[in-house]
Amino acid sequence: MKPAARAAGDFTGLAADYSRHRPDYCPAVLSALLGLLERPAARLDVVDVGAGTGIWTRMLAARGVRSATAVEPNDDMRAHGMADCADAAGTAIAWVKGDGARSGLPPQCCDWLTMASSFHWVDFDAGTRECHRLLRPGGRFTALWNPRQIELQPLLLEIEAQLATLRPDLQRVSSGRSGMTATLTERLCASPYFDDVVYLEGRHVVSMSAERYLGAWRSVNDLRVQLGAEKFAAFLAFVERRIAGLDRIEASYLTRAWSARRREPAA
C-alpha cells in the first residue's frame, strides 16, 4: 500500500530533521530589526507565529526580550520546539497552539510579532488582520525568510538542477526569493493595517556536515508534496551520492526581512 499523500504545509513527521538540521537566521538582520523598535529588548513582549521548532524564537529569546511566545499549529513541530527550548539560554519561551489567522492570543499582547519562514502559508488579508489585532500601538510586524544562495556554489546549483530533471514544472513554495516576496513590499504598503515598511537583508554562511545538509533536505515539505514519495526518495539518494566523501558543505543563506509598523486610526 502506498503511503498517504502529504498535504502542503504539513510538517508532521519532519520535525525531528527540521529541529536538528535547519540553519539559524542572519544575526546581523536580527540586530537591525531590533533597532527599528521603539524600546530596548528587555522591554519587548514578542510573539513568533508559525514558530516551527523555535529556531528564530530562540534567537529572539537569547537577545533578552521581556517575554517570548511561540505560536505553532503543528503538534509534532510544537513538541520538538518545546523540547529544544527547554534548555535554551535567555528568556523562557511560552508555547501556544494556533496559526497566523487564529493565534488564540488576546488583543494588543505584544510589541513585536514575527513570522519566520511561515507567512507564505497564511492568507495575506487574514494574517495581516490578526497581526494588527495582536500588536500594541507602535508595534511592528516582521515577515522573514532564509533562502539559500545556490548561485554562489556550483555543487548546490548541480543539486538544485536535479530537481528540475525530476519535475520541470516544480514550484518552490517557501524559497523566500519568489512567490509572495516579489510583491510583499507593495502589499504591505497598501495594507490598511501597516505603515513604515522597511526591507532588510543579510548574508551568512553555514558550514554543514554531510549529515546535516541531507537532513535539511529531508525536512522540506513543498518538495515532498510536489515530487511524491518515489521521486523525493530518488532526489535524496542523488544528494547523498553527490556529497559522499565531503567533510563539510558551505551553504550561503540570505536572510530577507520585511518589517512594518502597526497603523493607527487617523486622528
Side-chain angles (χ1 to χ4, degrees), residues 3-246:
R6 177 177 295 275
D10 181 7
F11 285 84
T12 301
L14 309 183
D17 281 316
Y18 203 110
S19 170
R20 287 195 298 266
H21 303 306
R22 286 287 183 109
D24 287 351
Y25 296 77
C26 178
V29 170
L30 173 53
S31 296
L33 290 169
L34 283 166
L36 295 174
L37 296 156
E38 297 179 351
R39 60 190 68 184
R43 294 174 55 199
L44 293 175
D45 296 313
V46 180
V47 170
D48 184 28
V49 178
T53 60
I55 295 170
W56 172 253
T57 327
R58 291 193 297 276
M59 292 182 70
L60 296 173
R63 293 299 184 101
V65 297
R66 180 166 58 193
S67 72
T69 301
V71 179
E72 170 54 42
N74 184 273
D75 294 340
D76 194 16
M77 296 283 272
R78 195 172 60 257
H80 276 81
M82 292 172 70
D84 291 345
C85 292
D87 299 324
T91 306
I93 297 170
W95 283 81
V96 174
K97 183 170 184 175
D99 59 41
R102 298 167 299 277
S103 67
L105 297 176
Q108 297 192 13
C109 63
C110 63
D111 306 292
W112 190 17
L113 188 147
T114 65
M115 296 188 73
S117 301
S118 61
F119 191 43
H120 54 278
W121 296 117
V122 181
D123 175 79
F124 181 87
D125 292 332
T128 52
R129 182 169 57 248
E130 179 69 350
C131 291
H132 186 271
R133 186 184 73 84
L134 297 179
L135 284 168
R136 295 170 183 148
R140 297 192 74 92
F141 162 61
T142 299
L144 66 155
W145 289 266
N146 201 33
R148 295 165 300 126
Q149 291 190 291
I150 59 172
E151 66 273 15
L152 301 180
Q153 291 140 308
L155 171 61
L156 304 190
L157 274 174
E158 179 186 341
I159 290 172
E160 195 77 17
Q162 180 66 14
L163 290 171
T165 300
L166 291 168
R167 181 165 178 175
D169 62 341
L170 186 75
Q171 299 292 322
R172 296 304 304 275
V173 175
S174 55
S175 72
R177 299 180 74 184
S178 61
M180 71 176 301
T181 61
T183 59
L184 187 54
T185 298
E186 290 74 17
R187 294 183 76 183
L188 287 173
C189 287
S191 167
Y193 302 119
F194 299 106
D195 57 21
D196 190 33
V197 179
V198 177
Y199 171 73
L200 297 165
E201 66 177 41
R203 296 183 180 185
H204 61 127
V205 177
V206 180
S207 181
M208 296 183 170
S209 65
E211 178 186 2
R212 184 182 182 187
Y213 182 73
L214 191 63
W217 279 114
R218 287 198 304 266
S219 73
V220 176
N221 168 271
D222 64 318
L223 292 182
R224 288 177 178 269
V225 171
Q226 294 184 71
L227 292 177
E230 185 176 338
K231 286 187 177 181
F232 187 70
F235 172 70
L236 290 181
F238 171 83
V239 175
E240 189 168 14
R241 290 193 303 271
R242 190 59 189 83
I243 65 175
L246 297 180

Side-chain angles (χ1 to χ4, degrees), residues 244-257:
L246 297 180
D247 292 328
R248 310 295 297 178
I249 294 104
E250 301 294 316
S252 296
Y253 287 83
L254 180 71
T255 298
R256 309 182 71 207

